[in-house]
Amino acid sequence: MSSPDLAASNFASQAAAHPDPAFPQFHPRPAQGWINDPNGVSHINGRYHVFFQYNPESARHHRIAWGHVSSADLVRWDEHPVALRPQDGGPDEYGCWTGVVTDDGGVPTAAYSGVRGDGGHSQVVISRGSADLVHWTQDGHVAASMPADPQVTAVRDPFIFRFNGKRYAMQGAGLASGHAALLLYTVEDLSDWKYQGIWLTSENPVAAAHTPAEIWECPQLVHVPASSRGNDSSQDAWVMMFSLWLAGDQHEHANGVGHLIGSLAEDPATGLPVFSPRSGGKSDLGRDFYAPQILQLQDGPAAGAAAEPKAMLWGWANEGPGRDGRRGRSQDEIDAAGWAGVLTHPRLLSVVDGALAVAPAPEVDAYRGSQVAVQADGNVVLPPFAEAVVTAHSGGPAALAADAVVELSLVAGDGTDASRQVVFSGALAAGEELRVFVDASLVEVYRTGAVATTLRAYPAPGERWVLQLPAGAAATVWQLEQPK
């Protein structure tokens, strides 16, 4: 039996009792404190584990630890005690920053960026966990330090991947030239990484076009299914994803998150992997999305069904002063609420017709409760916790106009333009489907065959969520409810 301070607590019960109406009910996080990057996302011993950057002491970004939630089904979540904490005098004294959790010979192991209290460059710190990932041994072991390479001026955020039966790691970096870069490591022994050099930089023309940054933060590399419409044969693609850091970002992250789609092959001369990007784009169209982490669910070629999920992503949606004209929260309001930051729903990744496609994990369908509207048109009022599926007619007299737009707004009073705040506005084409999730102050919009849009907005007293549909479009709406 767990001791009282290590016992898990049920997220749904805590969320239901939270005094802030903007607090999410269907996206697990602690009731208080600051959270940001999802870390260590893993599926070990039958449970999904999501760690995250966490300051339990306040709603500000300071002295970061690792929080921890877990679930057997991606629906019912338990919150666990803080997993990793800054260790006085250790290589992570200033913070336990972004990293991963991997199964190392049956032992759950975290590899993360640690920074000493006197500053300096981050190092890769290793900690070993118990089988349930609740207890962690932090002995300050450093697996990789700043490389002795004069071109490299910053390094952070380790990520581990496998290719051709071998284990590799990469870190995001910044170069003296002002370009972003990836550093490559071989990892035969998880406690001793071997630096292999600069692997890819933003000087690459495809990377320069799609992932411009001064540092590539939170680098990810996963194998995902690829398909073409009208072609039933399955293929595979490699997706590399970065959070695009610029000096002076201050959690605003104007460049957001970008990705590259390409191939991975072994260099016959060195035996090392070579990533060749061929296309890319924005990984989320919202201004409030950053620092995603991706879990590789299945490695190697697809076995059988082309639609089998292979990679699952969680991202961070930040609080903010209001972006793109949306009403935000001031720092004083955030401090008063006592919490900051939300993680997205788990998302499945694939490549469709050469472009990244993002969809909510099918497990979140379990949150559908009472159906409050069926094929409604015009202005459709949503509950504070809702899912709406918007579809378009593809022909006939009720066909959608070519310039049709769907809007999600916060509306007060009589609903006139003066009392309306548009939170999301997006085109809708014939045959398309939008899935819109509202969880108090978090909005996620998923478009079939495309990337998602993640936004934050804070309903004022008396405001209600309203979907405004063009002629030829209809919405079916569910109230979100915790499953029994």
Side-chain angles (χ1 to χ4, degrees):
M1 177 179 290
S2 298
S3 61
D5 61 330
L6 293 178
S9 58
N10 178 262
F11 164 73
S13 299
Q14 290 190 120
H18 203 282
D20 186 353
F23 190 81
Q25 304 281 310
F26 301 90
H27 294 76
R29 57 144 296 142
Q32 297 292 307
W34 162 286
I35 75 169
N36 56 297
D37 310 13
N39 293 155
V41 295
S42 47
H43 187 248
I44 296 177
N45 297 330
R47 289 189 74 82
Y48 293 92
H49 295 268
V50 179
F51 300 84
F52 44 86
Q53 304 281 277
Y54 181 35
N55 175 12
E57 304 302 324
S58 79
R60 298 197 177 208
H61 187 248
H62 177 68
R63 197 167 168 78
I64 293 296
W66 272 28
H68 179 199
V69 294
S70 76
S71 173
D73 59 8
L74 298 176
V75 176
R76 300 165 181 85
W77 290 90
D78 291 326
E79 181 189 346
H80 301 281
V82 172
L84 302 174
R85 294 181 184 272
Q87 301 295 296
D88 292 342
D92 55 8
E93 184 175 35
Y94 184 65
C96 302
W97 305 98
T98 293
V100 295
V101 167
T102 188
D103 186 329
D104 187 34
V107 179
T109 303
Y112 60 96
S113 289
V115 178
R116 294 190 178 276
D118 57 0
H121 296 291
S122 74
Q123 303 178 94
V124 177
V125 182
I126 299 295
S127 295
R128 307 284 183 174
S130 57
D132 60 5
L133 284 73
V134 172
H135 307 265
W136 292 86
T137 300
Q138 292 180 254
D139 59 10
H141 181 83
V142 173
S145 296
M146 181 78 172
D149 185 335
Q151 298 180 79
V152 180
T153 58
V155 62
R156 62 187 66 156
D157 305 342
F159 183 83
I160 293 171
F161 66 98
R162 293 183 180 273
F163 180 64
N164 284 354
K166 299 175 183 177
R167 184 169 58 188
Y168 298 93
M170 59 185 186
Q171 291 200 83
L175 304 181
S177 65
H179 292 97
L182 276 182
L183 311 184
L184 181 67
Y185 301 79
T186 51
V187 188
E188 291 185 18
D189 180 351
L190 199 59
S191 64
D192 185 19
W193 297 17
K194 304 297 186 185
Y195 178 58
Q196 301 299 322
I198 297 171
W199 197 32
L200 183 71
T201 79
S202 58
E203 291 180 280
N204 177 285
V206 180
H210 298 293
T211 56
E214 294 170 43
I215 297 175
W216 279 336
E217 290 195 308
C218 308
Q220 313 285 303
L221 179 62
V222 290
H223 208 189
V224 305
S227 63
S228 299
R229 292 182 177 91
N231 185 350
D232 292 334
S233 63
S234 76
Q235 308 163 39
D236 294 291
W238 287 87
V239 173
M240 188 176 275
M241 193 173 289
F242 311 106
S243 295
L244 305 175
W245 185 89
L246 300 171
D249 263 355
Q250 297 297 316
H251 298 301
E252 285 304 298
H253 311 303
N255 279 15
V257 178
H259 63 269
L260 303 173
I261 299 170
S263 60
L264 203 60
E266 188 172 287
D267 186 325
T270 65
L272 296 174
V274 176
F275 177 73
S276 300
R278 59 178 181 265
S279 64
K282 286 286 188 184
S283 304
D284 190 283
L285 302 181
R287 280 281 284 114
D288 304 323
F289 178 88
Y290 200 70
Q293 189 166 100
I294 309 173
L295 167 62
Q296 185 78 70
L297 293 172
Q298 174 199 335
D299 203 5
E308 182 178 4
K310 298 181 69 176
M312 185 176 289
L313 174 151
W314 280 261
W316 163 45
N318 193 11
E319 315 301 314
R323 304 177 179 98
D324 304 330
R326 285 173 284 119
R327 182 174 62 245
R329 273 188 163 176
S330 68
Q331 187 61 59
D332 285 346
E333 289 173 319
I334 293 170
D335 289 340
W339 66 277
V342 182
L343 301 183
T344 66
H345 276 321
R347 301 173 175 182
L348 296 181
L349 306 184
S350 62
V351 170
V352 178
D353 292 338
L356 184 65
V358 178
E363 286 84 353
V364 303
D365 290 357
Y367 292 135
R368 288 178 175 176
S370 304
Q371 198 170 65
V372 296
V374 179
Q375 290 294 291
D377 56 14
N379 291 344
V380 182
V381 177
L382 305 185
F385 307 97
E387 179 191 351
V389 175
V390 180
T391 54
H393 301 296
S394 57
L400 202 68
D403 58 352
V405 170
V406 173
E407 290 188 342
L408 176 67
S409 301
L410 284 169
V411 177
D414 59 6
T416 61
D417 287 346
S419 65
R420 185 167 67 97
Q421 177 193 180
V422 177
V423 175
F424 168 81
S425 180
L428 182 68
E432 278 191 329
E433 178 182 280
L434 297 181
R435 291 184 68 182
V436 181
F437 292 87
V438 175
D439 187 0
S441 60
L442 176 64
V443 174
E444 296 179 74
V445 182
Y446 298 87
R447 182 186 302 275
T448 305
V451 299
T453 300
T454 305
L455 301 162
R456 301 298 305 279
Y458 306 88
E463 287 186 328
R464 60 195 186 279
W465 290 100
V466 178
L467 260 181
Q468 294 164 294
L469 304 177
T476 297
V477 180
W478 293 265
Q479 179 168 294
L480 298 183
E481 299 172 3
Q482 292 291 341
K484 303 301 183 185

